[in-house]
């Protein structure tokens, strides 16, 4: 459940800061009348994300086992693609996020009310859909078939903590180095995403789409029983499987060895471009 808490915390903080920046800008330029349509768009985006998550959770339940595994494996791989893009995008865009959002808001307030609604829906909706998909995929990879309630509650807790942190930052009560936060959580998510990717390939093997289901790279089930507390912990946090096929093993290592160095390089480049005060500066909103 820790990984779903972290995903909720990171994605929730990203979305909450986006909303806070937009609200602060609208207040600062005297466009308080635009706050209601902005919130309308935000709420609509949240409802769409919740509906998408429900569809992912309950939609495939009436299908055959092979069909469920095929859909689950395909969506897991897609989720890894989305979260990888998100990690790299935030590493590159976090410095200029405030300016970019304010520019979009400036354009939107010059148009109709619909433009403000769309702005709120799109800026938060992207985060919501990505979060729903990756939470679903990571929960399945961590053994979510035993129950979705625990991981879901952990994700909600992470989102609520993120909202509190974002509120404290906007009020000047907390100074958080966002670059450092997104760098460390991004690195951890690379490891989580590698596990989800490997599990996605395993699903496709179980569906009969890919070969090698019985070709194991290693089987540590006798040393790390899947039902033991440490087996459950490794599965829940790192998606570790004691019995791993060669395809899963290869996919995990290729992803980590390619994505992690690129992410570290991108993060360092962003850190060198950003000044220390700018990285630590809180997001402010007009009272």
């Amino acid at each position: 459940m820790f990984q779903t808490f972290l995903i909720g915390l990171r994605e929730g903080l990203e979305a909450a800061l986006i909303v806070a920046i937009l609200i602060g800008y609208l207040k600062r330029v005297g466009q308080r009348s635009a706050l209601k349509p902005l919130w309308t768009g935000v709420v609509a985006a949240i409802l769409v994300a919740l509906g998408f998550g429900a569809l992912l959770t309950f939609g495939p339940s009436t299908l055959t086992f092979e069909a469920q595994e095929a859909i689950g494996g395909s969506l897991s791989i897609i989720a890894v693609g989305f979260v990888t893009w998100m990690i790299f995008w935030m590493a590159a865009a976090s410095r200029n996020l405030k300016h970019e959002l304010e520019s979009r808001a400036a354009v939107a307030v010059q148009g109709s009310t619909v433009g403000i609604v769309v702005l709120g829906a799109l800026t938060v909706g992207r985060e919501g859909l990505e979060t729903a998909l990756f939470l679903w995929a990571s929960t399945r990879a961590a053994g979510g078939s035993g129950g979705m309630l625990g991981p879901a509650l952990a994700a909600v807790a992470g989102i609520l903590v993120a909202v509190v942190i974002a509120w404290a930052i906007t009020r000047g009560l907390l100074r958080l180095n966002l670059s450092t936060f997104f760098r460390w959580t991004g690195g951890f998510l690379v490891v989580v995403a590698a596990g989800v990717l490997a599990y996605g390939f395993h699903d496709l093997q179980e569906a009969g789409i890919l070969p090698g289901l019985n070709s194991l790279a290693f089987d540590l089930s006798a040393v790390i029983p899947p039902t033991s507390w440490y087996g459950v912990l490794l599965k829940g946090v790192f998606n570790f499987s004691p019995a791993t096929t060669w395809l899963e093993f290869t996919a995990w290592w290729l992803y980590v060895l390619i994505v992690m160095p690129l992410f570290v390089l991108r993060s360092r480049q962003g850190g060198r471009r950003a000044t220390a005060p700018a990285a630590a500066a809180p997001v402010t909103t007009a009272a």
Side-chain angles (χ1 to χ4, degrees), residues 121-175:
L122 290 181
T123 52
V124 177
R126 184 192 63 188
E127 304 294 333
L129 292 176
E130 287 178 357
T131 303
L133 180 57
F134 194 60
L135 282 173
W136 175 82
S138 61
T139 299
R140 288 185 78 255
S145 57
M148 299 288 289
L149 182 60
L153 291 177
V156 171
I159 293 172
L160 292 177
V161 171
V163 171
V164 173
I165 292 175
W167 176 84
I169 291 175
T170 59
R171 294 298 177 180
L173 302 176
L174 176 66
R175 293 181 64 85

Side-chain angles (χ1 to χ4, degrees), residues 21 64 91 281:
I21 290 171
T64 64

Side-chain angles (χ1 to χ4, degrees), residues 231-247:
V232 173
L233 180 64
L234 289 173
K235 183 69 173 177
V237 177
F238 299 108
N239 295 327
F240 173 78
S241 177
T244 298
T245 68
W246 276 108
L247 183 58

Side-chain angles (χ1 to χ4, degrees), residues 84 87-89 91-92 183 186-187 190 254-270 272:
T84 304
I87 291 171
F88 279 89
W89 176 82
R183 185 182 308 124
V190 168
L254 279 178
Y255 181 85
V256 171
L257 291 178
I258 293 174
V259 174
M260 187 66 82
L262 291 175
F263 172 72
V264 172
L265 179 62
R266 177 63 63 88
S267 298
R268 287 180 176 176
Q269 289 175 343
R272 285 195 296 266

Side-chain angles (χ1 to χ4, degrees), residues 99-125:
H99 174 73
E100 180 183 343
L101 289 172
E102 289 184 348
S103 298
R104 293 182 186 177
V107 174
V109 295
Q110 300 301 321
S112 63
T113 302
V114 176
I116 299 294
V117 175
V118 172
L119 176 65
L122 290 181
T123 52
V124 177

